[in-house]
Amino acid sequence: MKYIYAVLLLHDMGKEINEENLVKIFEALGEKPDEAKIKSIVASLEEVNIEEVIEKAAVAPVAAAPVAAAAPTEEVKEEKVEEKKEEEKKEEEEEEAFEGLSALFG
């Protein structure tokens, strides 16, 4: 992602997106850039209109706002309680899985 951010920064500043400018950004931040990634990104962006891509990404379909519903019934309340219990159970299982993974590295 940091390489994409660097490309967007160069674009926003009106600078040419090339290997030299990308390397300068990373060196200014005290980080050693991955030359292969930089070459790949520059090559893949040669025919891309970045402004057009940004505009398309910014225009996302908007869903209609939900209509206000009447007060929830007991069934809906019970379903929410059950959903909450299921979520808590999933979270516990995930935590257990991560604990097992941490044993491998710690």
Side-chain angles (χ1 to χ4, degrees), residues 33-47:
D34 184 340
E35 297 286 335
K37 283 185 181 180
I38 288 177
K39 286 181 182 186
S40 174
I41 288 172
V42 170
S44 65
L45 291 175
E46 285 179 356
E47 303 282 328

Side-chain angles (χ1 to χ4, degrees), residues 16-101:
E16 183 180 353
I17 299 170
N18 58 30
E19 293 174 31
E20 180 182 344
N21 286 342
L22 286 169
V23 168
K24 285 180 185 178
I25 288 174
F26 286 98
E27 288 177 348
L29 295 171
E31 188 167 325
K32 181 169 174 28
D34 184 340
E35 297 286 335
K37 283 185 181 180
I38 288 177
K39 286 181 182 186
S40 174
I41 288 172
V42 170
S44 65
L45 291 175
E46 285 179 356
E47 303 282 328
V48 176
N49 181 345
I50 295 175
E51 196 63 38
E52 184 178 309
V53 173
I54 292 172
E55 286 176 15
K56 285 182 182 179
V59 178
V62 178
V67 178
T73 62
E74 286 298 317
E75 291 178 14
V76 172
K77 290 180 183 177
E78 289 176 13
E79 288 177 12
K80 288 183 180 179
V81 170
E82 289 177 13
E83 289 176 7
K84 187 174 181 181
K85 287 180 183 178
E86 288 177 13
E87 288 178 16
E88 290 175 359
K89 185 177 178 181
K90 286 180 184 178
E91 289 176 4
E92 289 176 9
E93 291 173 353
E94 289 176 357
E95 288 176 8
E96 290 174 4
F98 286 127
E99 288 174 5
L101 287 174

